[in-house]
């Protein structure tokens, strides 16, 4: 089984870092993983995608992900401008940062999990230059929706990435989102 | 230690492990992260190297030529238009027999302006007298860059080495990479010696001065024969690497090859997708295999000719173009087989130009098309997934 | 016309409705505006629209929220506010 995950965010929100942290967590469990950004210009604020591919065994694939089985939406504003379900497998899972129960009617046909990652991030003071940083909270929600790795591995990967307080509050964001995320 | 590294950062770690002494480079997408990371290593004192900032790639290679002539272990990296801008000095470096190592992140040449993956830049400098490798994974990339210094500095070689990697599909992909211990690498790669000579103010002599035709021809012969030694040296160095680090790559990477009837021959990270396609087809009863060229220059013609004699059909997938001639690797493979008694059927594919994806499904199609063409005896080159409609206004 | 090399023609919004890139938006205070048109000159995206009487309007569909207009306005008539 290969998990193919696509992250939708906006340039500067940390989608690429989230994808990489998920791989780092998987590697500590002896799994194989790859992460990569969308291959193109990087523009702050613009809709961006990032990808992660995680499997039990090593594989040789290097081509992009076109049919993900998991889609993660960091910013629900994206839903108005991008078809986030493009290529998503029929039995795929959607994980959306939203406070509303149904962010969009058309998403109902997928297994959908929501979490108010913005609220969690704000309550922990996670913001940089006007941006609320929700990427680490979203990692917790992903693990709740699909147990790719354990929440402990994700929290460890976060703490290894940023030392001290920053690592601790980001790990806490993941833990809270893991608890609060729920399926519709 | 297992780290999750991009291709670019794998290259930077390899330069760190090789204890390079002089770095000079000019930034260009998608190579920039390599020299950014190295600048960070120098700034933080992890790497005791001189980082020389320059105003162009031409100057970057000129700095490398100077530093390498003075005996320093020297590193630069570039891509695409940077490589072409540098090209005069690239030729000079090999003819001056300097063991410089240069990763090239292969990117399409413009116009139209394009930052994505293609190998034409790398293959255009095939006749510049450098040893050239092309990597499939980040692990192989790191290992090959370190090995490259051993090969370049070997007395039987004394030539610069280029290591190709795919723009974005390797340079920007993060994968687990086993970063070897510095102490072990030091055993494998001791500091550069002064063999056969380096610039020394106490014993002055001139480099690259005017030479008469007979001298010139003799020196070219020596360059050529050193290039012929490369295959042997690459194998020795790879074996030694395997003994210390437990990883070996060889000159040709064979995958499900030995009993294969139909084989895809290509280079780079995309060969991995071809391998997955071969795995898929094997489960469905097709004897598919993959042959990836790791060493692309000197072209391992004899090895290819020996190994392909038992294969029925070969698909050569070129992510490059010589307009009017077709795929550069196809041409080399065909000529390698000319004197062979058992020549396989060969079909060429021009695919993935300008960074167009070649997926696992695409490779399954290429295997199937090749078998069909083999039955029909149609050995013409195919432009794979070509869409001409986009040129209509 | 058949293209033999890459050519392109000017058009509006090739990168899509870039207004969604904003995290802060410029708000014009018409009371303070002195119609100097400095914002119109400085806007790197052409999203300050000049009207006949030299008053301006902001095209929020494409404004990326960079804040150059607010920074340059000598009358401090443009404020950047959170979206």
């Amino acid at each position: 089984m290969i998990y193919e995950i696509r992250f939708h965010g906006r340039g500067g929100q940390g989608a690429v870092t989230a994808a990489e942290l998920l791989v780092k967590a998987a590697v500590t469990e002896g799994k194989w993983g790859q992460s990569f950004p969308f291959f193109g210009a990087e523009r702050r604020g613009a809709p961006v995608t990032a990808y992660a591919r995680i499997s039990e065994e090593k594989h040789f694939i290097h081509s992009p992900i076109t049919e993900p089985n998991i889609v993660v939406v960091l910013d629900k504003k994206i839903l108005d401008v991008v078809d986030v379900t493009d290529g998503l497998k029929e039995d795929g899972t959607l994980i959306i940062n939203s406070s509303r129960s149904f962010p969009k009617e058309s998403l109902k046909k997928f297994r959908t999990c929501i979490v108010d990652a913005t609220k969690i991030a704000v309550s922990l003071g996670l913001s940089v230059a006007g941006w609320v940083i929700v990427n680490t909270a979203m990692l917790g929600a992903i693990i709740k929706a699909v147990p790719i790795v354990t929440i402990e591995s994700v929290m460890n990967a976060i703490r290894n990435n940023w030392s001290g307080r920053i690592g601790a509050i980001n790990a806490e964001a993941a833990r809270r989102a893991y608890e609060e995320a729920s399926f519709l | 230690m297992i780290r999750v590294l991009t291709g670019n950062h794998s290259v930077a770690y390899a330069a760190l492990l090789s204890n390079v002494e002089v770095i000079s480079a000019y930034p260009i997408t998608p190579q920039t992260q390599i020299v950014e990371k190295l600048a960070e290593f120098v700034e933080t004192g992890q790497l005791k190297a001189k980082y020389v900032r320059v105003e162009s790639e031409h100057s970057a290679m000129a700095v490398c030529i100077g530093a390498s002539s003075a005996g320093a272990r020297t590193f630069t990296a570039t891509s695409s238009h940077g490589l072409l801008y540098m090209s005069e000095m690239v030729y000079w470096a090999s003819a001056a027999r300097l063991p410089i190592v240069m990763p090239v992140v292969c990117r399409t040449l413009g116009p139209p302006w394009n930052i994505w993956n293609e190998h034409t830049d790398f293959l255009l400098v095939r006749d510049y007298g450098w040893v050239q490798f092309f990597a499939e994974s980040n692990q192989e990339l790191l290992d090959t860059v370190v090995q490259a210094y051993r090969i370049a500095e070997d007395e039987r070689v004394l030539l610069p080495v280029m290591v190709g990697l795919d723009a974005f599909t390797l340079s920007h992909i993060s994968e687990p990479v086993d970063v070897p211990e510095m102490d072990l690498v030091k055993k494998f790669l001791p500091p550069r010696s002064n063999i056969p000579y380096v610039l020394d103010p106490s014993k002055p002599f001139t480099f690259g001065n005017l030479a008469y035709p007979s001298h010139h021809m003799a020196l070219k012969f020596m360059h050529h024969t050193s290039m012929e030694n490369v295959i042997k040296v690459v194998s020795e160095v790879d074996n030694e690497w395997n003994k210390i680090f437990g990883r070996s790559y060889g000159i040709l990477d064979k995958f499900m090859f030995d009993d294969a009837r139909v084989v895809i021959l290509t280079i780079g990270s995309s060969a991995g997708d071809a391998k997955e396609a071969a795995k898929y087809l094997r489960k469905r009863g097709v004897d598919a295999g993959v042959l990836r060229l790791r060493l692309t220059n000197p072209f391992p013609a004899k090895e290819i000719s020996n190994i392909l004699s038992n294969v029925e059909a070969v698909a050569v997938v070129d992510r490059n173009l010589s307009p009017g001639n077709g795929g550069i690797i196809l041409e080399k493979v065909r000529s390698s087989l000319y004197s062979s008694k058992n020549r396989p059927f060969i079909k060429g594919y021009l695919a993935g130009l300008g960074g167009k994806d070649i997926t696992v499904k695409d490779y399954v199609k290429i295997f199937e098309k090749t078998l069909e063409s083999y039955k029909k005896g149609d050995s013409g080159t195919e432009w794979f997934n070509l869409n001409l409609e986009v040129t209509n206004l | 016309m058949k293209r033999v090399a890459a050519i392109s023609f000017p058009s509006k919004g090739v990168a899509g409705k870039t207004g969604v890139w904003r995290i802060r938006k410029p708000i014009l205070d018409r009371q303070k505006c002195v119609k100097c048109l400095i914002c119109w000159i400085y806007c790197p995206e052409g999203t300050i629209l000049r009207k006949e009487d030299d008053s301006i309007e902001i095209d929020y569909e494409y404004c990326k929220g960079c804040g150059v207009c607010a920074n340059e306005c000598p009358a401090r008539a443009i404020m950047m506010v959170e979206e």
Side-chain angles (χ1 to χ4, degrees):
Chain A
M1 170 79 190
I2 299 183
Y3 291 106
E4 294 196 306
I5 306 144
R6 184 172 68 214
F7 293 78
H8 289 270
R10 296 166 65 201
Q13 273 185 330
V16 176
T17 306
E20 193 172 290
L21 283 169
L22 197 55
V23 172
K24 285 180 173 169
V27 168
T28 61
E29 294 186 3
K31 296 184 165 79
W32 177 259
Q34 280 175 333
S35 69
F36 44 99
F38 169 74
F39 302 145
E42 290 150 19
R43 301 162 303 186
R44 179 161 282 263
V48 295
T49 50
Y51 304 84
R53 192 181 258 136
I54 290 163
S55 56
E56 293 296 325
E57 303 294 326
K58 185 182 169 174
H59 61 75
F60 301 99
I61 308 169
H62 280 104
S63 55
I65 291 168
T66 51
E67 291 170 14
N69 36 30
I70 301 169
V71 164
V72 185
V73 182
L74 273 66
D75 186 332
K76 64 174 188 291
K77 215 171 153 184
I78 298 280
L79 298 172
D80 300 328
V81 282
V82 176
D83 175 13
V84 299
T85 61
D86 181 39
L88 177 60
K89 295 219 166 86
E90 268 178 30
D91 57 350
T93 305
L94 257 173
I95 301 139
I96 303 171
N97 173 17
S98 172
S99 53
R100 286 211 316 264
S101 57
F102 282 106
K104 217 172 178 185
E105 281 296 302
S106 60
L107 307 178
K108 273 186 176 173
K109 64 177 175 177
F110 295 97
R111 192 172 170 257
T112 303
C113 179
I114 62 157
V115 67
D116 195 344
T118 306
K119 196 176 112 199
I120 294 169
V122 167
S123 73
L124 289 164
L126 280 168
S127 77
V128 177
W131 289 85
V132 178
I133 304 300
V134 298
N135 60 350
T136 43
M138 289 309 285
L139 285 175
I142 296 168
I143 301 313
K144 177 73 161 287
V146 188
I148 303 167
V149 290
T150 66
I151 185 66
E152 287 76 23
S153 298
V154 167
M155 290 171 72
N156 284 335
I158 292 170
R159 282 188 291 250
N160 287 335
N161 211 55
W162 297 285
S163 57
R165 191 184 146 268
I166 301 290
I169 56 172
N170 276 287
E172 173 62 11
R175 194 193 61 78
R176 277 198 209 169
Y178 178 74
E179 277 174 9
E180 289 175 21
S182 59
F183 280 105
L184 293 178
Chain B
M1 181 187 180
I2 305 282
R3 287 175 184 273
V4 175
L5 296 177
T6 62
N8 280 340
H9 285 178
S10 304
V11 168
Y13 272 93
L16 173 73
L17 289 168
S18 305
N19 278 297
V20 298
E21 293 161 299
V22 175
I23 300 158
S24 186
Y26 192 80
I28 180 170
T29 299
Q31 171 277 123
T32 306
Q33 295 168 341
I34 297 176
V35 291
E36 264 176 3
K37 193 73 186 168
L38 282 169
E40 187 188 311
F41 287 149
V42 173
E43 180 67 21
T44 54
Q46 282 170 274
L47 177 61
K48 305 249 177 308
K50 176 84 180 161
Y51 190 107
V52 185
R53 283 177 295 157
V54 284
E55 85 298 347
S56 75
E57 287 85 358
H58 191 275
S59 301
M61 185 51 79
V63 167
C64 290
I65 288 169
S68 191
S69 303
R73 183 167 287 156
T74 310
F75 178 94
T76 186
T78 191
S79 174
S80 190
H81 288 265
L83 179 65
L84 262 63
Y85 194 34
M86 180 194 273
S87 68
E88 183 196 12
M89 293 289 106
V90 175
Y91 194 91
W92 193 280
S94 74
R97 309 297 301 268
L98 299 169
I100 297 163
V101 171
M102 174 166 71
V104 173
V105 188
C106 297
R107 160 186 155 179
T108 309
L109 290 157
W113 201 237
N114 184 313
I115 57 172
W116 297 289
N117 178 20
E118 198 185 293
H119 305 152
T120 308
D121 53 356
F122 184 81
L123 293 166
L124 279 180
V125 296
R126 183 194 69 186
D127 299 333
Y128 278 42
W130 286 54
V131 177
Q132 290 178 298
F133 285 97
F134 212 108
E136 179 187 322
S137 67
N138 292 350
Q139 183 73 62
E140 182 190 333
L141 192 53
L142 182 144
D143 294 352
T144 304
V145 171
V146 181
Q147 289 184 12
Y149 280 105
R150 265 289 296 271
I151 296 158
E153 293 168 10
D154 191 291
E155 246 186 292
R156 294 163 291 176
V157 177
L158 289 169
L159 287 168
V161 180
M162 221 176 269
V163 181
L165 63 144
D166 289 299
F168 296 103
T169 54
L170 207 59
S171 68
H172 283 61
I173 284 190
S174 298
E175 288 178 341
V177 176
D178 190 349
V179 180
E181 296 298 323
M182 182 69 98
D183 290 343
L184 286 176
V185 176
K186 273 185 181 159
K187 266 185 218 157
F188 171 82
L189 180 70
R192 185 182 158 191
S193 75
N194 288 345
I195 292 169
Y197 43 74
V198 295
L199 281 179
D200 178 356
S202 66
K203 292 175 212 140
F205 61 93
T206 306
F207 271 12
N209 47 300
L210 181 79
Y212 292 111
S214 58
H215 289 89
H216 188 94
M217 193 156 164
L219 289 167
K220 290 299 122 179
F221 177 78
M222 286 167 75
H223 188 159
H224 181 73
T225 47
S226 295
M227 198 58 118
E228 288 177 337
N229 294 336
V230 166
I231 292 196
K232 187 168 179 266
V233 175
V234 168
S235 301
E236 281 177 23
V237 168
D238 193 49
N239 284 339
E240 201 181 318
W241 184 267
N242 191 21
K243 271 183 212 147
I244 303 173
F245 302 104
R247 293 186 294 272
S248 159
Y249 304 97
I251 286 162
L252 302 172
D253 169 19
K254 295 180 281 178
F255 184 82
M256 296 186 156
F257 183 88
D258 292 336
D259 60 342
R261 284 180 55 228
V262 55
V263 161
I264 283 179
L265 188 156
T266 191
I267 62 172
S269 63
S270 182
D273 297 84
K275 289 175 182 178
E276 293 292 339
K279 270 159 72 177
Y280 172 88
L281 286 171
R282 284 271 172 171
K283 282 183 202 149
R284 282 152 188 82
V286 180
D287 298 327
V290 176
L291 183 63
R292 179 178 66 91
L293 309 189
R294 175 173 177 250
L295 180 72
T296 63
N297 199 57
F299 198 80
K302 211 181 288 172
E303 287 72 12
I304 285 178
S305 153
N306 289 340
I307 208 175
L308 287 182
S309 56
N310 294 323
V311 175
E312 286 177 38
V314 179
V316 179
V317 179
D318 271 289
R319 198 188 270 264
N320 65 76
L321 176 68
S322 167
N325 300 309
I328 295 168
I329 294 172
L330 174 68
E331 205 175 282
K332 286 299 289 181
V333 171
R334 281 220 170 106
S335 72
S336 303
L337 288 161
Y338 181 74
S339 54
S340 169
K341 275 182 202 141
N342 297 318
R343 285 189 297 232
F345 166 84
I346 301 178
K347 181 151 181 82
Y349 294 87
L350 290 161
L353 300 187
K356 205 170 158 78
D357 298 332
I358 318 174
T359 61
V360 176
K361 279 182 189 167
D362 288 333
Y363 278 113
V364 169
K365 246 187 255 172
I366 290 174
F367 272 121
E368 286 167 350
K369 274 170 174 259
T370 304
L371 285 171
E372 262 170 53
S373 303
Y374 174 46
K375 273 183 214 149
K376 288 187 209 150
D378 164 22
S379 61
T381 292
E382 176 174 335
W383 284 73
F384 187 75
N385 276 351
L386 174 69
N387 173 11
L388 275 178
E389 274 167 37
V390 296
T391 62
N392 292 322
L393 281 179
Chain C
M1 184 165 52
K2 186 88 180 163
R3 293 184 217 196
V4 296
I7 52 169
S8 57
F9 299 93
S11 65
K12 194 171 176 179
V14 178
K17 303 242 160 124
T18 50
V20 295
W21 298 17
R22 279 195 311 271
I23 49 167
R24 274 175 296 222
K25 78 197 272 192
I27 302 288
L28 174 71
D29 182 344
R30 291 192 186 278
Q31 304 287 309
K32 288 186 186 166
C33 176
V34 294
K35 298 185 179 178
C36 68
L37 293 175
I38 283 186
C39 56
W40 174 69
I41 291 166
Y42 272 85
C43 174
E45 297 295 339
T47 55
I48 305 271
L49 309 175
R50 180 184 182 176
K51 313 236 295 214
E52 288 228 328
D53 63 349
D54 282 346
S55 68
I56 60 128
E57 229 167 67
I58 298 165
D59 182 350
Y60 290 113
E61 271 196 350
Y62 293 100
C63 166
K64 293 173 181 169
C66 71
V68 168
C69 53
N71 203 47
E72 293 298 332
C73 177
R76 295 181 182 272
I78 300 175
M79 293 291 291
M80 297 302 290
V81 302
E82 296 291 322
E83 276 285 331

